Amino acid sequence: MSTLRDLVEEHTSLGPADIDHLHRIAGDWQLLSDLSFADLLLWVPIKGEPRRPREFLCVAQVRPTTAPTAYQDDQVGKIVGGPEVAHLDVALTQERIWREGDPVWYGDTPARHEAIPVRLRDATDLEEALSEVIAVIGRDTNLSTARTPSQLELNYLTTADDLAQMVADGTFPPPRLPGEITSAPRVGDGLIRLDASGKVTYASPNAQSAYRRLGFNAHLVGEELAKLSSRLSGDPLEGNDAAERILSSLRGEFPARMEVEARGATVLTRALPLLPAGVPIGALVLVRDVTEVRRRERALMTKDATIREIHHRVKNNLQTVAALLRLQARRVDAPEARMALEESVRRVASIALVHETLSMSSDEAVEFDGIVDRVASAATEVATTGSSVKIRREGTFGVLPAEIATSLVMVLNELLINAVEHGFPAPDEEAEVLVAAPPVGGGGEVVVSAHRFRKQLHVTVADNGRGLPEGFKFEGSNRLGLQIVRALATGELRGSIELRNRAGGGTEAVLVVPLGKR
């Protein structure tokens, strides 16, 4: 299905500013749909020679959450013309809201048609100048469940008519503020209507309950909502801000959403001015009790902080273990024992890198490229080789879950140390496991490459060193480092690994790690 922008650009001559306004309409019209108890369809005239009535294309649709829909099928992308769109043509050409006509039938569903012209206010003169009507909103109400309206429904419908007139005037919806959310609150969460003086003329039951959570037990009708919100707020500055935003909506402004906290409760509010025909008649305030939502968020934040602190302490403990092993290595005279302890220091330090990264992250995943670069740098520093070896990375590992990162960093640490020390041995070293061949290309280089393919991470560690000895078998090697690599790759990582000579000289290790659910 094509997007609103795609449909408009393909079938109409509307410009970028017009399309942006239609996107704002589609982003904020759930409010109008819920208040109207009606489906809203956004129609644009198709470009070409004018016809009477012309053809229209439906580029967006929204269904009410407060009433049954008039359309079981999606109408977006539908092109209609002839008598079926006569009401849309009247609203477009006469630039007025159309409410005449008898109910129409869609199968077994009777519906009432209305048409609201969509006007974009000219930014060059915000007081008077208006551009032409660019689209029409069809407001279609399912009449199959029609009944005598209650006070709530009457207030909803009255407010819907005011907002519909503001759409026709070009004053609704407002420009979206940077970073502002659009998902809440909604009509069903709680609705309060204010008159021009700021007093409450109607409050829905959910709105009344939200203010009761804040500590106001009387009825809201007749109260000055700005003063009441300021008085109830637990923070004087926050209360003054809430009051000012309500007052600014009475002056015709569109303030940002904000939260009011009192007595352990949190209520999200959104104030909208009511300006039919440009005349300020009051404001609409939507409220939503988000106390439990914020409580869960705070609990998650506390949990995240605790987990980060645990990772930080694990990192510190591992560094302490590495320091103790390093001290022990200095006191050991046997070269083989000292080398074994130093290798253990490197292994512990590589695991500590993962926990250090997790201690600075808000989730159980790490950006792995930085860890690989630090492990590679450490491998060149500690390797006992007489050659100058460079390690570089190609591609990106991306973000990896902690359970993969911890094992993978140990595998890469062993492979890099093995490539540097055994691929480029010191001149006086007995290279019993290596064939006698000089490094390819005149300099020592190890390349770590990574890419993702079909939910798998493919990693290659390749060097241009002396290669593997004749008859070498990875599965039968008794080297501790290679045994660790094989056990982690096939066990913890549930992948596969192959160690082989390169065609052009040197050695490469190829590791494949699945990234699906573990």
Side-chain angles (χ1 to χ4, degrees):
M1 176 61 69
S2 299
T3 64
L4 185 155
R5 183 177 296 275
D6 293 337
L7 291 170
V8 173
E9 289 179 344
E10 180 181 355
H11 295 281
T12 78
S13 55
L14 296 178
D18 300 323
I19 297 175
D20 288 342
H21 187 65
L22 296 183
H23 272 291
R24 287 198 299 273
I25 289 280
D28 227 345
W29 67 348
Q30 184 70 59
L31 170 64
L32 179 57
S33 175
D34 290 343
L35 289 171
S36 302
F37 305 101
D39 292 73
L40 301 183
L41 281 68
L42 185 57
W43 299 95
V44 292
I46 295 179
K47 62 185 175 183
E49 291 297 324
R51 306 175 186 176
R52 290 296 181 268
R54 70 192 76 198
E55 290 186 329
F56 285 82
L57 167 70
C58 181
V59 296
Q61 176 183 3
V62 63
R63 293 180 171 89
T65 61
T66 51
T69 180
Y71 300 97
Q72 298 301 323
D73 298 327
D74 189 23
Q75 303 296 301
V76 175
K78 181 179 180 181
I79 297 176
V80 294
E84 187 177 353
V85 296
H87 62 300
L88 303 178
D89 195 58
V90 170
L92 181 71
T93 56
Q94 298 184 16
E95 302 183 357
R96 68 177 180 87
I97 298 177
W98 184 92
R99 291 192 175 95
E100 305 90 69
D102 298 324
V104 296
W105 290 80
Y106 296 104
D108 297 331
T109 304
R112 180 177 64 247
H113 272 335
E114 295 178 71
I116 305 166
V118 176
R119 193 191 302 269
L120 174 61
R121 184 174 287 271
D122 192 342
T124 61
D125 188 352
L126 294 179
E127 293 184 357
E128 296 295 339
L130 299 174
S131 67
E132 64 180 3
V133 173
I134 60 174
V136 179
I137 292 177
R139 182 163 62 170
D140 302 336
T141 307
N142 185 335
L143 299 177
S144 61
T145 58
R147 61 184 185 274
T148 303
S150 64
Q151 185 183 13
L152 179 145
E153 291 168 326
L154 289 173
N155 276 277
Y156 277 21
L157 293 171
T158 301
T159 306
D161 288 342
D162 292 334
L163 291 179
Q165 186 59 55
M166 291 172 66
V167 171
D169 297 338
T171 56
F172 185 85
R176 188 171 302 171
L177 300 174
E180 186 179 23
I181 61 173
T182 59
S183 59
R186 294 188 174 185
V187 170
D189 296 324
L191 178 144
I192 300 172
R193 181 165 176 135
L194 308 179
D195 62 17
S197 67
K199 290 186 177 180
V200 177
T201 60
Y202 175 76
S204 70
N206 282 344
Q208 187 72 50
S209 296
Y211 268 81
R212 186 163 288 132
R213 294 290 297 273
L214 293 175
F216 184 72
N217 295 320
H219 205 281
L220 284 170
V221 173
E223 294 287 336
E224 292 188 36
L225 193 65
K227 292 182 180 180
L228 177 62
S229 299
S230 177
R231 189 170 70 247
L232 292 175
S233 177
D235 184 340
L237 292 177
E238 181 185 88
N240 291 336
D241 191 16
E244 177 55 33
R245 296 194 189 201
I246 294 173
L247 293 174
S248 68
S249 68
L250 296 173
R251 296 192 296 266
E253 301 172 11
F254 289 88
R257 297 162 175 82
M258 76 163 296
E259 293 181 358
V260 178
E261 295 186 6
R263 299 179 61 183
T266 305
V267 172
L268 176 64
T269 67
R270 182 191 185 191
L272 296 168
L274 296 177
L275 300 164
V279 178
I281 63 171
L284 174 67
V285 180
L286 300 174
V287 298
R288 179 186 177 189
D289 182 359
V290 293
T291 304
E292 292 304 314
V293 175
R294 296 296 175 261
R295 185 190 63 78
R296 287 194 296 269
E297 288 178 352
R298 285 191 289 269
L300 288 174
M301 290 176 63
T302 301
K303 181 180 178 182
D304 289 341
T306 303
I307 292 174
R308 289 197 298 272
E309 178 62 22
I310 291 172
H311 284 301
H312 180 72
R313 295 188 182 188
V314 170
K315 182 261 296 184
N316 288 344
N317 291 339
L318 288 173
Q319 289 179 336
T320 301
V321 171
L324 292 174
L325 291 173
R326 193 177 294 111
L327 288 173
Q328 186 66 42
R330 293 173 183 172
R331 295 174 179 269
V332 173
D333 295 329
E336 291 185 357
R338 184 185 304 111
M339 183 177 297
L341 288 172
E342 289 174 349
E343 288 179 352
S344 297
V345 169
R346 292 196 294 269
R347 289 164 185 150
V348 172
S350 66
I351 299 174
L353 280 178
V354 176
H355 287 280
E356 180 182 8
T357 305
L358 288 169
S359 70
M360 298 181 290
S361 174
S362 59
D363 53 28
E364 287 294 290
V366 295
E367 185 67 51
F368 201 69
D369 290 342
I371 294 177
V372 174
D373 294 341
R374 292 175 65 179
V375 169
S377 177
T380 57
E381 292 175 1
V382 302
T384 58
T385 176
S387 306
S388 175
V389 182
K390 294 182 179 179
I391 300 179
R392 62 183 176 88
R393 173 173 55 83
E394 292 182 349
T396 178
F397 288 82
V399 177
L400 296 177
E403 62 268 23
I404 292 180
T406 303
S407 299
L408 183 58
V409 72
M410 287 194 66
V411 171
L412 290 175
N413 179 66
E414 298 295 336
L415 291 176
L416 289 171
I417 293 293
N418 191 70
V420 172
E421 291 193 342
H422 300 296
F424 312 96
D428 58 347
E429 182 181 341
E430 292 292 335
E432 72 234 13
V433 296
L434 302 172
V435 295
V440 178
E445 183 181 55
V446 181
V447 179
V448 182
S449 60
H451 71 278
R452 300 190 181 210
F453 179 71
R454 293 182 179 177
K455 296 184 178 181
Q456 291 180 330
L457 176 64
H458 293 250
V459 182
T460 302
V461 178
D463 65 67
N464 61 349
R466 298 190 177 186
L468 298 171
E470 294 182 5
F472 173 82
K473 291 184 179 180
F474 181 38
E475 293 77 8
S477 175
N478 60 359
R479 289 182 177 273
L480 177 60
L482 294 182
Q483 290 178 353
I484 291 174
V485 167
R486 188 169 61 250
L488 291 175
T490 59
E492 295 295 324
L493 294 175
R494 301 179 186 176
S496 62
I497 186 168
E498 182 182 0
L499 193 62
R500 64 198 180 198
N501 282 318
R502 297 173 65 196
T507 309
E508 66 178 5
V510 180
L511 173 67
V512 179
V513 179
L515 297 176
K517 293 183 178 180
R518 306 182 73 76

